[in-house]
Amino acid sequence: FLSAGPQPLAERLLRIYGVRAEDVIELARGNAELGEEFDKSTGAIAAELVYAFRSELAGNLADALIRRTMVALGPSAGVGPEVSAVEVLARSLGWDKGRKREELERYHAELEDRRPRAPAASPRAG
């Protein structure tokens, strides 16, 4: 599974996780579902999400997608893969429908907070 995605997966994992990339790969080797991409634009795999929570102490979906896997910094700006990501995490971590909804709401709110805004018009000196 290391050649999946728009770039070789091993390259992506090494760039993001460095020496810890092997830990992510081992999670995927132990569970075929975790070797599947959840974001086609970056090639991120489900094992990265599980690793973020189990080993990097990610606190929520936004933390995992923005700061751990960096999917939110990819070509899709993190819009789209959050639905697949929350499903992976629900199955892996036992999240119920309420938790999934809360995580998605929090993620969308954080993306909105990060969206660039036009500067406010300054009053003319006169």
Side-chain angles (χ1 to χ4, degrees):
F1 68 90
L2 290 177
S3 62
Q7 62 184 357
L9 180 57
E11 179 183 317
R12 173 188 161 69
L13 295 176
L14 282 171
R15 189 179 77 249
I16 293 173
Y17 301 97
V19 297
R20 297 168 300 136
E22 185 62 32
D23 297 335
V24 177
I25 292 167
E26 284 305 312
L27 275 174
R29 282 191 182 131
N31 180 332
E33 181 184 1
L34 296 182
E36 297 293 321
E37 286 181 344
F38 73 91
D39 179 28
K40 300 286 184 205
S41 69
T42 63
I45 61 171
E48 294 180 64
L49 294 167
V50 174
Y51 184 80
F53 278 84
R54 290 184 182 166
S55 300
E56 294 184 324
L57 303 176
N60 54 54
L61 179 66
D63 187 16
L65 293 178
I66 295 169
R67 291 174 283 284
R68 312 304 172 146
T69 66
M70 295 192 267
V71 164
L73 304 177
S76 70
V79 177
E82 75 276 16
V83 175
S84 296
V86 83
E87 291 300 330
V88 167
L89 291 167
R91 285 189 299 276
S92 298
L93 305 178
W95 292 356
D96 63 16
K97 288 181 182 181
R99 173 74 186 265
K100 291 189 316 185
R101 185 182 63 254
E102 290 169 11
E103 292 292 336
L104 288 169
E105 288 171 0
R106 181 182 300 153
Y107 179 67
H108 292 139
E110 188 155 342
L111 284 183
E112 182 62 27
D113 287 346
R114 293 171 172 273
R115 192 170 57 111
R117 309 258 193 280
S122 61
R124 294 184 183 231

